[in-house]
Amino acid sequence: MDASPGASNGVSTVTDSIGLTWRHWLYFVLITLVLLADGMEVTMVSHTFPSLAKEWGVSVGGGITLVVTGGFIVMAVGALVAGRLADLFGRKSILVSATLLFAVTTALGATSANFTTFTAWRFLACLGIGAVMPTGITLLADLAPARQRASLVAAGYAGVGLGTVVGAGLAGLLIPTGGWRALLVAGGVVSLVLALLLAFVVPESPAYYAAHGAVDKAKQVLARLAPGTDLSAVVVAGPSDDVDKQEAFAVILSRRFAATTVLLWLFGFFSLGTQLLIAQYLPTLLQQPVPGLTTVQSSTIVGTYGFASVVGGLALSGILARVSRYRVIGFALALSVVVALAIGLAPDPGFGTLLLLLTIAGLILPTAFGPTRNILATAAYPARVRGTGVGSTELCARAGSAVGGLVGGTLIGAGLGLAGLFLTLLLPIGVLLSTLAGLKFDARRSGADSIAGFREEDLSLVAPETRADAPRAGATAS
């Protein structure tokens, strides 16, 4: 394989010239499985709540609500802290640590003698869960060639949706036979195994090594990604000036990135908040007097909605490999408007009509609201501050999920039904479309409006002939 990269903005990147290899796919599968464990764990715990209420007399409006709301807050803190730590100490090390944290604390939650102890273990698990998403997505983005980055991020996020299906299946299998404690132990063990596989198989980000001057380690990762590639004439360029060495938060809030950062925070807040508002309250809405579905009918629709979301995420992944992320996300949001109107204006729909409409909604809505914030954030920042940028976006997304849950509960409590709630979704969708337009304008202004997204010379793995100030072949940049 030829190691000479192709030019991009005057810079040739070795990672892009390599393209996708079998090792990329191996690392993608393992990271996606960790994201699946993230979604699985959240779903499993939600299935333990009825058992906890019976065993300890905990009320849904009291202790359970405290665990759910507090968990979202802790996840938000975990996302922000982990994103910054990933830029300081490495994406892989923080991802492995976060996975180990939620694996062990989930299993230890099964030892709880009372609800207070359970809550403590749960909050520790949520700290790890919040940290997994930004670090896993950042590591996946760093290892992927730029042109396939958005596509792989979207496909990886689909693992979260698949995890909810797996978690629900485990709950149905284990709770009737072994109780909620057996479910938590099983989930913890599965996540622990995945954390160990991640630690021993997946490498650290070469861009992280480059940013910290670890030239030889960056080359070693490239050699693992494409065995047999001649890297002898490649230099790894680190930070080139004082601006490049600024603290990460100073960079994402600098004049160059401030508008993008604020828009991403807004997009993350409304995207995840809207997605989880639907997921949290759909069973309740379906079983209201109108439309008045049974528990079995409601569960069937919710299960189909969840499975369709996985299919939609994979479809998004395939499209993003060929089309600009702004066009794809904008089209998905436009379809969301059509779906919201169709459900909101459907005249007295029954089970069959709702099954069809909400299956279509499952293909579109989670796809438009779920992975899109991460697709935009990973493409918006240079690699050396990508963890901080993705983490801060995830912080706002988790805050949006807490607010979305509160707003949804308030509206439903005031008498808003299924049709009214879906019509209400037009407001956040409008905000998301406006925010996306702002992000596209800012990306075009900064020259990052492409399928690949942001590229930066100071963190590229480059061939010396493409960089005017690079050392001679075989030398390394500091």
Side-chain angles (χ1 to χ4, degrees), residues 9-32:
N9 296 331
V11 177
S12 298
T13 58
V14 173
T15 48
D16 292 346
S17 70
I18 290 173
L20 286 174
T21 68
W22 69 268
R23 288 185 183 270
H24 282 106
W25 289 113
L26 173 63
Y27 303 151
F28 162 77
V29 168
L30 287 176
I31 294 172
T32 299

Side-chain angles (χ1 to χ4, degrees), residues 421-458:
L421 186 68
F422 271 86
L423 290 176
T424 303
L425 295 183
L426 295 174
L427 177 60
I429 294 173
V431 174
L432 289 170
L433 282 167
S434 300
T435 305
L436 182 68
L439 286 166
K440 178 176 175 60
F441 174 80
D442 198 58
R444 181 174 295 174
R445 178 183 58 82
S446 62
D449 185 10
S450 67
I451 294 177
F454 191 91
R455 296 188 184 183
E456 177 179 73
E457 183 172 358
D458 66 346

Side-chain angles (χ1 to χ4, degrees), residues 312 315-316 319 327-343 357 360-369 422 425-426 429-430 433 436:
L316 176 69
I319 297 171
R327 292 182 182 179
V328 176
I329 296 172
F331 183 66
L333 289 171
L335 287 179
S336 299
V337 172
V338 176
V339 169
L341 288 171
I343 297 174
L357 288 175
I360 296 172
L363 287 169
I364 297 168
L365 299 184
T367 302
F369 303 144
F422 271 86
L425 295 183
L426 295 174
I429 294 173
L433 282 167
L436 182 68

Side-chain angles (χ1 to χ4, degrees), residues 104-153:
V104 172
T105 51
T106 295
L108 288 175
T111 67
S112 303
N114 51 59
F115 188 70
T116 301
T117 306
F118 175 86
T119 301
W121 287 125
R122 179 61 190 158
F123 283 173
L124 286 173
C126 286
L127 191 65
I129 292 169
V132 162
M133 180 63 72
T135 50
I137 291 296
T138 301
L139 179 59
L140 180 59
D142 282 2
L143 291 173
R147 188 171 183 83
Q148 287 81 24
R149 182 176 298 143
S151 179
L152 290 180
V153 166

